[in-house]
Amino acid sequence: MNVQTPKHTADITDAEESLKLQEAQQVVVDSKAATEVAMQNTLLTPRFYTTDFDELDAIDVSGIREEWDALIAQMVADPNKGHFKKNEDWDHVDWDNMEPELKKEFIDFLISSCTAEFSGCVLYKEMKRRGNNKDITQLFQLMARDEARHAGFINDALREAGVAVNLGFLTQKKKYTYFRPKFIYYATYLSEKIGYARYITIFRHLQEHPEHRFHPIFKWFEEWCNDEFSHGEAFALLMKTDPKLTQGRNVLWIKFFLTAVYSTMYVRDHQRPAFHKALGVDPDWYAHEVFTKTSKLTEQIFPITVDIDHQRWQPNLEKMQKANADLAIATKEGKFFAKIGAQARAVSAFVSLFTIPVKKHKVPAVTRLEPSY
Ligand SMILES: [Fe+2]
Ligand SMILES: [Fe+2]
């Protein structure tokens, strides 16, 4: 077993986008507070992961060679090579006159997105560095390339507001959470697919309502989410190499990750009312849209979906969100019993969500999908 965490920034940044990333890593004005936010490890903030890289390296993709090669060829072709650069579509952003609450929530959104993108970059780059299996290292190199661009581009946007996340510092100092490879597959696959669903839902909404596009970064979301889509495809294929991963007791783990990822997203998004109001998006509508799309996509490899139309679904998401808001207040005010009470309510809401009967379906023989939303 080989589970050390990455020690050197140089290992992470030797991708072909290293320049972009190094630029993004420069410490700029006010980056300390942003980096502190990115350093947080709570249930709701993006984490950095490490895993058993030897086990990942041992994956044999020969049984799915045709689908695998088609995906890799598409990623090597790199249709988004020139996409993550500011151009004439990048309108001026009047940060100074942005409504303070919106500015706070939007910066928080950007920091959290940047951390999540960079978390993918760190994990993928490390796998590339540790592995010897050409199929696996090539895939992870390609995905690290994309995530480096994504994180760097968000940091570019943040820098205009006088804020930047110090990615080099994060790489060295942020805590790494160990996940067994199968949990990495479930969690990362889901986060890539839900990432696609989130970006495309906002992009389509703003296509219809351009008056709500309060920042130019949203114009970049369409091509962006296609990268996430491909990454999700890669994890679907990795899981396909071992049918046991999506059978038997593992189906319960899949259900757990679906419930956890969906409910976390719901709670986190509801912490940003001003941001959603500015976008003209009702966060309940948005959550339902994203869950619907993600569930449809994950049918490609998961044999179940969670029943998001069940009568217990929405009320318990709301219960969990309320418990979380109360928990934040109790923590701030140092009220021990109120904190315990809120935690208990959050757990009970999660249990109620988790015990909703799932929807089953037959997984298709051909896994690969194309972005269609
Ligand atoms: Fe990304
Ligand atoms: Fe990704």
Side-chain angles (χ1 to χ4, degrees), residues 3-9 11-12 48-50 53 122-123 125-127 129-130 170-174 176:
V3 296
Q4 302 139 3
T5 55
K7 292 284 185 295
H8 305 291
T9 316
D11 298 334
I12 306 304
F48 278 15
Y49 295 101
T50 184
F53 294 104
V122 170
L123 177 72
K125 193 72 202 160
E126 192 61 9
M127 181 61 237
R129 194 178 72 85
R130 301 274 189 96
L170 279 192
T171 311
Q172 292 179 341
K173 298 284 190 240
K174 191 168 162 80
Y176 286 78

Side-chain angles (χ1 to χ4, degrees), residues 215-231:
H215 190 280
I217 199 163
F218 302 115
K219 292 184 190 170
W220 268 256
F221 273 21
E222 189 176 26
E223 287 86 348
W224 192 322
C225 72
N226 290 342
D227 285 347
E228 313 305 3
F229 194 93
S230 304
H231 304 165

Side-chain angles (χ1 to χ4, degrees), residues 11-200:
D11 298 334
I12 306 304
T13 57
D14 65 356
E16 62 179 274
E17 272 66 41
S18 62
L19 256 183
K20 172 99 184 155
L21 205 53
Q22 277 164 11
E23 196 193 331
Q25 285 176 347
Q26 283 168 11
V27 183
V28 298
V29 192
D30 200 29
S31 74
K32 199 164 165 277
T35 306
E36 276 166 13
V37 172
M39 283 289 283
Q40 290 168 1
N41 287 308
T42 71
L43 277 174
L44 296 175
T45 51
R47 285 167 181 264
F48 278 15
Y49 295 101
T50 184
T51 189
D52 181 348
F53 294 104
D54 295 339
E55 190 181 322
L56 252 161
D57 198 45
I59 292 176
D60 177 9
V61 301
S62 51
I64 49 153
R65 178 57 70 188
E66 211 178 306
E67 287 185 283
W68 181 270
D69 285 350
L71 175 67
I72 295 292
Q74 201 178 310
M75 291 172 79
V76 169
D78 199 6
N80 285 342
K81 192 173 174 57
H83 181 63
F84 294 96
K85 292 181 175 63
K86 291 183 195 168
N87 59 21
E88 64 283 357
D89 287 337
W90 188 271
D91 321 290
H92 172 72
V93 186
D94 188 2
W95 282 104
D96 291 338
N97 289 313
M98 195 180 282
E99 198 252 305
E101 202 47 34
L102 172 61
K103 183 172 172 179
K104 184 171 150 281
E105 288 182 17
F106 184 47
I107 286 179
D108 180 68
F109 168 81
L110 290 175
I111 293 172
S112 151
S113 305
C114 182
T115 315
E117 298 281 7
F118 194 62
S119 152
C121 177
V122 170
L123 177 72
Y124 300 161
K125 193 72 202 160
E126 192 61 9
M127 181 61 237
K128 192 258 160 192
R129 194 178 72 85
R130 301 274 189 96
N132 297 305
N133 177 337
K134 190 191 156 283
D135 290 313
I136 300 300
T137 52
Q138 183 184 23
L139 167 70
F140 280 83
Q141 163 70 29
L142 291 166
M143 293 197 295
R145 171 200 73 190
D146 294 344
E147 306 300 13
R149 286 177 190 163
H150 300 167
F153 193 64
I154 299 176
N155 235 353
D156 274 353
L158 277 167
R159 198 178 298 121
E160 286 189 351
V163 176
V165 182
N166 187 340
L167 299 174
F169 179 80
L170 279 192
T171 311
Q172 292 179 341
K173 298 284 190 240
K174 191 168 162 80
K175 192 172 154 261
Y176 286 78
T177 305
Y178 174 79
F179 259 12
R180 290 172 61 182
K182 76 171 176 187
F183 298 148
I184 290 279
Y185 303 148
Y186 305 144
T188 315
Y189 169 67
L190 262 176
S191 88
E192 296 288 1
K193 286 303 183 195
I194 206 170
Y196 164 80
R198 287 170 63 78
Y199 284 147
I200 199 65

Side-chain angles (χ1 to χ4, degrees), residues 263-322:
S263 55
T264 307
M265 173 190 136
Y266 184 91
V267 171
R268 206 180 43 207
D269 281 353
H270 280 74
Q271 288 173 338
R272 299 185 184 123
F275 172 68
H276 289 93
K277 189 164 167 254
L279 284 175
V281 163
D282 168 11
D284 285 304
W285 168 84
Y286 179 64
H288 199 267
E289 264 308 294
V290 170
F291 300 157
T292 305
K293 290 184 176 110
T294 309
S295 296
K296 194 76 211 140
L297 292 169
T298 58
E299 284 179 10
Q300 73 179 155
I301 192 75
F302 288 163
I304 55 148
T305 51
V306 292
D307 185 359
I308 60 168
D309 296 313
H310 191 277
Q311 54 181 8
R312 289 215 309 269
W313 180 257
Q314 182 65 25
N316 277 289
L317 285 180
E318 286 169 22
K319 231 175 100 181
M320 199 169 190
Q321 195 264 323
K322 176 81 172 63

